Amino acid sequence: MTRVKMEDVAKLAGVSKSTVSQFLNKRYEFMSEETRGRIENAIKSTGYQPNVIARSLKVKKTNTIGVIVANILHYFSTAVSRGIEDYCNKHHYNVILCNADDNPQKERIYLEMLLAKQVDGIICATTGKNNELLKDLINREVPLVLIDRKLAGIEMDGVFSNNEQGARDAVAHLLAIGHRRIALLSPDLNGISTRQGRFKGYRQTLIAHGLQPMDEYIKFVKSTAEVKESISDLLHMPEPPTAILCTNDLTTMEALHVLKQGNVKVPETIAIIGFDDSPWVDLLDPPLTTVNQQTYEIGLKSAEQLLTRIEHPQEKKFHEQILDCHLTVRKSCGIKN
Amino acid sequence: MTRVKMEDVAKLAGVSKSTVSQFLNKRYEFMSEETRGRIENAIKSTGYQPNVIARSLKVKKTNTIGVIVANILHYFSTAVSRGIEDYCNKHHYNVILCNADDNPQKERIYLEMLLAKQVDGIICATTGKNNELLKDLINREVPLVLIDRKLAGIEMDGVFSNNEQGARDAVAHLLAIGHRRIALLSPDLNGISTRQGRFKGYRQTLIAHGLQPMDEYIKFVKSTAEVKESISDLLHMPEPPTAILCTNDLTTMEALHVLKQGNVKVPETIAIIGFDDSPWVDLLDPPLTTVNQQTYEIGLKSAEQLLTRIEHPQEKKFHEQILDCHLTVRKSCGIKN
DNA sequence: CTGTTAGCGCTTTCAA
DNA sequence: TTGAAAGCGCTAACAG
């Protein structure tokens, strides 16, 4: 592949390797116009491209960060990674994007791969099942920032959504337009902070409005198959809920599927709020009211934080950023009052 | 970060670096059970992790491939990259995923970055605006396989969809259910093979059925804004089309948007067929009939091809794979006959 | 069966 | 203003 190396251009330019190196690193200060020109030409005519791997080995810096997303099929993940990428590109870092696929095993393998590749730092939306490893990285002062999901009891840099507030706003909206029997459809909590936060926001808001959260209205599902069951349960209760808050996009999608199949009218029979935007939600019938995270900003800010951490790996103070969610009201909740 | 190096574990195990290296590369043949055990322990107790960058420099192989997708926000791109990733993981390759963002400039920068990083090969969904560079890579025997878009007049490995066939099937379907005035809504051809193929399939099929393709029914748009205009044009013709074939997902989405805003009934007033599945199309009202590419398979096969190319960089025969598209009939075309 | 040695391609003192 | 030399962490003959 890349045959030509620094020595070749040095020879051609009639200078030494080190001079070429100086040139490449833009340390022109002590270089004559002439040598400079000769080197430039030599590079052009040979088509020389530096081998960053050799460079990295020497300078112990790869200018590359690793990003582990939970599941690249989620719009959330791609949007976040765009933010990260934009920030990194601007600051001359490359990113290696890894898809953990909601699989702790894969997450672990990727973490190790990234370390082996000597990345300068890692942004990770963790599955929550590799806490020891993550903690160990912190101890070893590997620059690391968490996104999306936070780890209980571990101090780390991170940028997260305010999931409680997001759920609160959603429920408050439902209450405001007249709903009283509000159900929650969530993937199994599984110790995952985002889900817990949303659950908590849901409960709090009901209680704050003098309503008692009812266990029968709260459905935790382990698979999409269970969504069908849960929805059916809800609809067949003596007092069925008039609204469902779905706390992630896959459950939302599945719920809408099921409702559609069963010819259940949204929002007339049941109102729906989902989490996370996607370009499609506007096109649904009715357009879906959603709680939106600041996905792109999460990407931007996490990258920013990681790069500052890379510059101060020893810094003992960790920095946590919480970004508010924003409720986008469309038509899937109707207007009840 | 990773402080401990091979020498450290060698010392601890009381052997030389090379023996440790042998061990790591699983060349146990000539190694006593005992040394092996000692090395194992030393590695465990030091938490040693090999530096693949140093290794790569030496062996001139990174076991990493680069993937450049056109736009990561498209479901097509993520699905393809999943296929690539699955195949590569199984074969112990890592992938660096890059998002060209439909921007030739970015594509070029990424290509250069990947080369600088000494990737073993590249899979690229090219913008079609870097042909010289790409051709040059082939000349330099850089393993390269194209996906999605092929380059006219350049021989290369590649795996593509049979876009003509996809469009043909779509139009044939529309004809079969009684449509005669069929419009095409496509992004500007711009020399892009996929779009050309779909356009060609559209024309051919009309002609094959004795219908004359009409220029007024064929809309090439440069932006989403133009979609609105085009749709409006179509609807206000004296003889408006009864169906529109949209040749990519963004135009489809925008078209649906516009129709929805204008309260135009699909499929009663106008039938719609889109390209490319996404988890949402089932939920639309009506569910969207789409021409689907074998996205995951494109990923799988391109990765497979790249790895074989990596093993035979000199092979002069290029291999091109064309995968059929599949029409998924839902409800957005109605049944006219 | 294991150790010595010579690099991979680049950067970086330090000396000239 | 430029060059020589050492070395980043690892591998692969080759020798023993």
Side-chain angles (χ1 to χ4, degrees):
Chain A
M1 284 178 57
T2 315
R3 318 230 58 83
V4 26
K5 59 186 81 163
M6 215 166 75
E7 201 171 355
D8 303 326
V9 349
K11 227 169 261 170
L12 212 164
V15 298
S16 78
K17 279 201 306 175
S18 13
T19 309
V20 177
S21 175
Q22 305 278 41
F23 174 88
L24 289 173
N25 294 295
K26 307 205 197 304
R27 308 220 57 76
Y28 303 134
E29 299 136 38
F30 303 120
M31 201 175 299
S32 69
E33 265 301 312
E34 205 228 322
T35 10
R36 200 167 140 182
R38 286 220 310 282
I39 295 177
E40 235 155 35
N41 288 334
I43 288 180
K44 221 164 265 166
S45 71
T46 53
Y48 169 68
Q49 292 200 282
N51 179 334
V52 304
I53 238 148
R55 175 172 210 284
S56 300
L57 180 59
K58 181 68 189 173
V59 302
K60 291 160 169 296
K61 183 141 186 359
T62 52
N63 264 270
T64 301
I65 69 160
V67 174
I68 302 184
V69 298
N71 188 334
I72 197 148
L73 295 181
H74 287 31
Y75 194 77
F76 175 84
S77 297
T78 51
V80 168
S81 63
R82 291 282 309 244
I84 295 174
E85 189 150 14
D86 283 355
Y87 190 89
C88 286
N89 281 178
K90 199 169 300 166
H91 293 78
H92 305 102
Y93 273 79
N94 299 130
V95 358
I96 300 185
L97 182 60
C98 307
N99 173 28
D101 214 4
D102 295 317
N103 178 342
Q105 170 76 3
K106 271 199 183 185
E107 178 186 17
R108 159 167 226 107
I109 290 175
Y110 276 129
L111 282 169
E112 276 161 5
M113 179 276 268
L114 290 171
L115 293 174
K117 274 199 178 315
Q118 316 295 115
V119 293
D120 296 335
I122 295 176
I123 294 176
C124 181
T126 180
T127 57
K129 297 279 180 298
N130 282 309
N131 299 10
E132 289 314 309
L133 215 190
L134 260 12
K135 227 185 289 183
D136 186 51
L137 295 189
I138 299 292
N139 287 338
R140 286 158 58 192
E141 286 176 359
V142 177
L144 174 64
V145 0
L146 251 37
I147 51 173
D148 193 29
R149 298 168 178 184
K150 67 176 79 169
L151 256 30
I154 309 186
E155 268 222 291
M156 279 191 207
D157 291 330
V159 7
F160 311 101
S161 284
N162 194 340
N163 290 292
E164 261 183 67
Q165 167 264 334
R168 262 191 266 122
D169 287 3
V171 176
H173 171 67
L174 289 171
L175 290 168
I177 58 177
H179 291 279
R180 285 298 170 272
R181 302 199 302 276
I182 301 172
L184 179 83
L185 183 65
S186 163
D188 223 56
L189 290 188
N190 226 321
I192 293 173
S193 68
T194 45
R195 299 178 187 169
Q196 291 172 326
R198 291 169 194 180
F199 176 44
K200 200 165 162 194
Y202 161 83
R203 285 189 52 116
Q204 281 181 345
T205 314
L206 289 181
I207 292 171
H209 285 75
L211 265 49
Q212 184 57 32
M214 305 215 311
D215 285 352
E216 305 79 53
Y217 282 175
I218 298 172
K219 296 291 187 184
F220 295 116
V221 295
K222 289 203 175 59
S223 64
T224 47
E226 284 185 24
V227 170
K228 187 164 194 162
E229 217 176 296
S230 302
I231 297 265
S232 163
D233 287 355
L234 291 173
L235 293 176
H236 289 92
M237 292 177 65
E239 282 210 320
T242 63
I244 306 179
L245 173 61
C246 299
T247 62
N248 88 354
D249 59 349
L250 290 194
T251 51
T252 308
M253 227 157 57
E254 189 56 22
L256 292 173
H257 250 125
V258 172
L259 292 173
K260 187 159 190 160
Q261 279 176 358
N263 272 316
V264 180
K265 292 248 177 298
V266 177
E268 292 80 358
T269 307
I270 196 138
I272 299 282
I273 295 190
F275 257 81
D276 291 341
D277 244 345
S278 114
W280 294 99
V281 299
D282 265 322
L283 292 173
L284 298 179
D285 192 50
L288 188 67
T289 291
T290 52
V291 179
N292 296 319
Q293 306 184 63
Q294 300 186 43
T295 46
Y296 187 78
E297 287 72 21
I298 291 177
L300 241 39
K301 290 199 181 295
S302 61
E304 182 185 16
Q305 189 154 321
L306 184 63
L307 297 208
T308 62
R309 167 62 63 179
I310 287 172
E311 265 147 36
H312 308 287
Q314 323 248 17
E315 172 63 55
K316 288 298 171 215
K317 220 168 67 248
F318 293 98
H319 187 41
E320 204 170 81
Q321 296 178 70
I322 313 282
L323 273 50
D324 271 354
C325 296
H326 174 72
L327 183 73
T328 302
V329 176
R330 295 195 185 83
K331 310 216 160 145
S332 63
C333 301
I335 300 174
K336 262 198 130 62
N337 57 352
Chain B
M1 286 177 54
T2 314
R3 316 227 60 79
V4 26
K5 59 185 84 161
M6 214 164 76
E7 202 171 353
D8 303 326
V9 349
K11 227 170 261 169
L12 212 163
V15 297
S16 79
K17 279 201 305 175
S18 13
T19 309
V20 178
S21 175
Q22 305 277 41
F23 174 88
L24 289 172
N25 294 295
K26 306 206 199 300
R27 309 219 58 75
Y28 303 135
E29 299 136 38
F30 304 119
M31 201 174 298
S32 67
E33 264 302 311
E34 204 228 321
T35 7
R36 200 167 139 179
R38 288 220 309 283
I39 295 177
E40 237 156 32
N41 288 334
I43 289 180
K44 223 165 262 166
S45 71
T46 52
Y48 169 70
Q49 293 200 280
N51 179 332
V52 304
I53 241 151
R55 175 174 210 285
S56 299
L57 180 58
K58 180 66 189 177
V59 302
K60 291 162 170 295
K61 182 138 185 4
T62 52
N63 265 269
T64 300
I65 68 160
V67 174
I68 302 183
V69 298
N71 188 335
I72 197 148
L73 296 181
H74 287 30
Y75 195 77
F76 175 84
S77 297
T78 53
V80 168
S81 64
R82 292 280 311 242
I84 295 174
E85 187 149 15
D86 284 354
Y87 189 89
C88 285
N89 282 178
K90 198 168 302 166
H91 293 79
H92 305 102
Y93 273 78
N94 300 129
V95 358
I96 300 184
L97 183 59
C98 308
N99 174 28
D101 215 4
D102 295 318
N103 178 341
Q105 171 76 2
K106 272 200 181 184
E107 178 186 17
R108 157 168 228 107
I109 289 176
Y110 276 129
L111 282 169
E112 275 160 5
M113 179 276 267
L114 291 171
L115 293 174
K117 274 199 176 318
Q118 315 296 115
V119 293
D120 296 335
I122 295 175
I123 294 175
C124 180
T126 180
T127 58
K129 297 279 180 298
N130 282 309
N131 299 9
E132 288 314 309
L133 215 190
L134 260 12
K135 227 184 292 185
D136 186 50
L137 295 189
I138 298 292
N139 286 338
R140 285 158 57 193
E141 284 174 3
V142 176
L144 174 65
V145 359
L146 251 37
I147 51 173
D148 192 31
R149 298 167 177 184
K150 66 177 82 170
L151 255 31
I154 309 187
E155 267 222 290
M156 277 191 208
D157 290 330
V159 7
F160 311 102
S161 284
N162 193 339
N163 290 292
E164 261 183 68
Q165 167 263 335
R168 262 190 265 121
D169 287 2
V171 175
H173 171 66
L174 290 170
L175 291 168
I177 58 177
H179 292 279
R180 286 297 171 270
R181 301 198 304 274
I182 301 171
L184 178 85
L185 183 65
S186 163
D188 223 57
L189 289 189
N190 226 323
I192 293 172
S193 68
T194 46
R195 300 178 185 170
Q196 291 172 326
R198 292 170 193 180
F199 176 44
K200 200 164 162 194
Y202 161 84
R203 284 189 52 116
Q204 281 181 345
T205 314
L206 289 181
I207 293 170
H209 285 75
L211 265 50
Q212 184 59 30
M214 305 215 312
D215 285 351
E216 304 80 53
Y217 282 176
I218 298 172
K219 296 291 187 184
F220 295 115
V221 295
K222 289 202 176 55
S223 64
T224 47
E226 283 185 24
V227 170
K228 186 166 194 159
E229 215 177 298
S230 301
I231 297 266
S232 162
D233 285 357
L234 290 174
L235 293 176
H236 290 93
M237 292 176 65
E239 282 211 319
T242 63
I244 306 179
L245 173 61
C246 299
T247 62
N248 87 355
D249 59 351
L250 291 193
T251 51
T252 307
M253 228 157 56
E254 190 56 22
L256 291 174
H257 249 125
V258 172
L259 292 174
K260 186 161 192 158
Q261 278 175 359
N263 271 315
V264 181
K265 292 249 175 299
V266 177
E268 293 79 358
T269 308
I270 196 139
I272 298 282
I273 294 189
F275 258 80
D276 291 341
D277 244 344
S278 116
W280 294 100
V281 299
D282 265 322
L283 292 172
L284 299 179
D285 193 49
L288 187 66
T289 292
T290 52
V291 178
N292 296 319
Q293 306 183 63
Q294 300 186 42
T295 46
Y296 186 78
E297 288 71 22
I298 291 177
L300 241 38
K301 289 198 181 297
S302 61
E304 181 185 16
Q305 189 153 321
L306 184 62
L307 298 208
T308 62
R309 168 62 63 179
I310 287 172
E311 264 147 37
H312 308 287
Q314 323 249 18
E315 173 62 57
K316 288 299 172 216
K317 219 166 70 244
F318 293 98
H319 187 42
E320 204 170 82
Q321 296 178 71
I322 311 282
L323 273 49
D324 272 354
C325 296
H326 175 72
L327 183 73
T328 300
V329 176
R330 296 195 185 81
K331 309 216 160 147
S332 63
C333 301
I335 300 176
K336 263 198 125 66
N337 59 349

